[in-house]
Amino acid sequence: MSVYKAVILSGSPFSVRADDAPHPDLSQIKGKIPLLGVCYGAQYLAHFNGGIVAPSNTREYGRARLTAIKNDEPFFYQITDGSQVWMSHSDTIKELPTNAVVLASTGDVKNAAYRIEGEDTYAIQFHPEVYHTTQGKLILENFLVHLAGLKQSWTPDAFVDTTVAELKAKIGNDKVILGLSGGVDSTVAAVLLHKAIGKHLHCIFVNNGLLRKNEFQDVLDQYEHMGLNVKGVDASARFLDALAGESDPEKKRKIIGKIFIDVFDDEAHKVEDAKWLAQGTIYPDVIESVSVTGGPSATIKSHHNVGGLPDFMKLTVVEPLKMLFKDEVRRVGASMKIDDERLGRHPFPGPGLAIRILGDITREKVAILQEVDAIFINGLREWGLYDSVWQAGAMLLPVNSVGVMGDERTYEKCVALRAVESTDGMTADWVDLPYEFLQKTSNEIINKVPGVNRVVYDISSKPPATIEWE
């Protein structure tokens, strides 16, 4: 174990009280090198070392405030009382483990942080790694840098140099097909690969019929100026026909993933000797879909670019961004001089509007949502709000409600607007958009989009909700 300078026990969807819960052997770690337990990790250290972990009386999700912080502890150096942290657990630590002392509490959680005396063993019930734990980065720095003595050597420039060298060595002169989406992740992946293999990269941008209004042509036009070899493929009818009548969100995602593979397989046969399929997969995609290490990780929702390729597709996957979060991807893109407008583009789900239309997909519903979405997104830009929002979009709900227009009764669709702030998508909080903006946007949607007579605004955070509704 001497090769490790510190160990972090992460969160988990399991309860430490369950028979099938993860049970790591800490005999060569605990008390010998710095150890930090986070959420499940904190409960694990308590449960198996003389403490008591029990179901919480309430679900503890979202924001909380640290109180009674022991600032004289190196672990909480410069952490201020009242600092916001992010909770996500259903069990709670009722009694601390042997030789433990409390380092901080919250209004609902007495044992929000503790350490084991005589060891460099620390535990916290909240998640320091997420954006909405406002001093989480400082807490991790205190543990990793000041307590464990690790050096902060990662930089975007170093990542680019290392990744380009690795791609050159791995791919050589082979041809690579990359599925562009127009978003930040696939664009950064494309530029990285282009730096490594140049003309051997063949980019394909697929119109799945579920893009934003006019997005297919707009994106193709933008890529013209980046020096990439990009081909546009309009497969919208293929996707929409395959989705007809399907309402289950996971099945919709699976259908879209299969069609994407089929389309890429068709295009791969048109590129002679293509051997690789590149994807802009990032770490949150992996976490929400499947455990990257094979360990326990709950599938929140499937991502069409996660999970490998079917046997019939004779391409090997390459994912240069697989271990990065969204904010890191943007920093890498900036280091390669990708323009700010493209790097600042809001994330857009791979399945597109299919998972923003709750229920079955029809061409009519797609057209309605495209118009609603365009009004919302263009409005954010016009009001100077776009860059203060991490992701925004509209959801078409499977709900009709009674309205009145021109003294006549209507019975039409309801749409929900969603705007969140985040850095990596792992956690998110709703944005308090100005009432005047929401009022104008609602009026414009109802007046200009036939079939919609009601607009609502989503004010739920992640967790417990997700950013997308499906």
Side-chain angles (χ1 to χ4, degrees), residues 60-182:
E60 295 169 342
Y61 296 101
R63 65 175 61 81
R65 300 281 175 182
L66 287 183
T67 59
I69 299 173
K70 291 197 173 182
N71 301 99
D72 56 341
E73 292 279 349
F75 184 77
F76 276 138
Y77 176 65
Q78 292 188 331
I79 304 302
T80 56
D81 212 50
S83 178
Q84 178 178 289
V85 296
W86 208 254
M87 297 286 190
S88 182
H89 59 272
S90 54
D91 284 348
T92 195
I93 300 168
K94 296 291 188 181
E95 292 188 18
L96 293 176
T98 304
N99 296 327
V101 293
V102 176
L103 299 183
S105 303
T106 71
D108 296 320
V109 180
K110 177 183 177 182
N111 300 314
Y114 66 88
R115 70 170 175 84
I116 306 295
E117 290 189 308
E119 304 177 7
D120 280 330
T121 299
Y122 298 83
I124 51 180
Q125 185 61 83
F126 56 89
H127 287 267
E129 75 277 14
V130 302
Y131 170 71
H132 292 93
T133 294
T134 52
Q135 293 184 298
K137 184 178 179 180
L138 180 55
I139 291 172
L140 290 173
E141 182 179 339
N142 287 341
F143 175 71
L144 293 170
V145 178
H146 303 305
L147 286 166
L150 296 174
K151 294 181 179 179
Q152 297 173 283
S153 59
W154 190 94
T155 66
D157 289 341
F159 176 84
V160 171
D161 292 341
T162 301
T163 303
V164 168
E166 290 174 350
L167 290 170
K168 286 180 178 178
K170 178 186 291 187
I171 296 170
N173 292 320
D174 293 345
K175 293 179 181 178
V176 178
I177 296 174
L178 169 67
L180 280 175
S181 69

Side-chain angles (χ1 to χ4, degrees), residues 179-181 204-211 235 238-239 253-267 277 279 304-305 309 313 349-352:
L180 280 175
S181 69
I204 299 168
F205 179 46
V206 176
N207 180 8
N208 59 9
L210 301 160
L211 302 175
R238 193 168 173 178
F239 281 88
R253 287 175 175 271
K254 296 293 187 183
I255 289 169
I256 290 168
K258 179 183 182 303
I259 301 298
F260 262 114
I261 292 296
D262 291 344
V263 170
F264 284 128
D265 189 46
D266 291 345
E267 295 302 320
L277 175 65
Q279 298 184 146
H304 73 275
N305 57 342
L309 299 174
M313 195 171 186

Side-chain angles (χ1 to χ4, degrees), residues 187-262:
T187 299
V188 173
V191 175
L192 270 173
L193 282 157
H194 187 259
K195 288 174 73 71
I197 62 173
K199 65 181 181 180
H200 296 297
L201 175 64
H202 296 258
C203 301
I204 299 168
F205 179 46
V206 176
N207 180 8
N208 59 9
L210 301 160
L211 302 175
R212 285 180 158 139
K213 184 180 180 181
N214 300 326
E215 186 171 25
F216 183 55
Q217 192 57 51
D218 289 347
V219 169
L220 287 176
D221 292 343
Q222 291 168 1
Y223 278 125
E224 277 187 8
H225 308 291
M226 296 185 65
L228 299 173
N229 176 21
V230 182
K231 178 182 179 181
V233 178
D234 188 356
S236 53
R238 193 168 173 178
F239 281 88
L240 293 172
D241 289 346
L243 286 165
E246 184 55 67
S247 298
D248 182 85
E250 270 298 290
K251 290 181 180 178
K252 287 193 287 189
R253 287 175 175 271
K254 296 293 187 183
I255 289 169
I256 290 168
K258 179 183 182 303
I259 301 298
F260 262 114
I261 292 296
D262 291 344

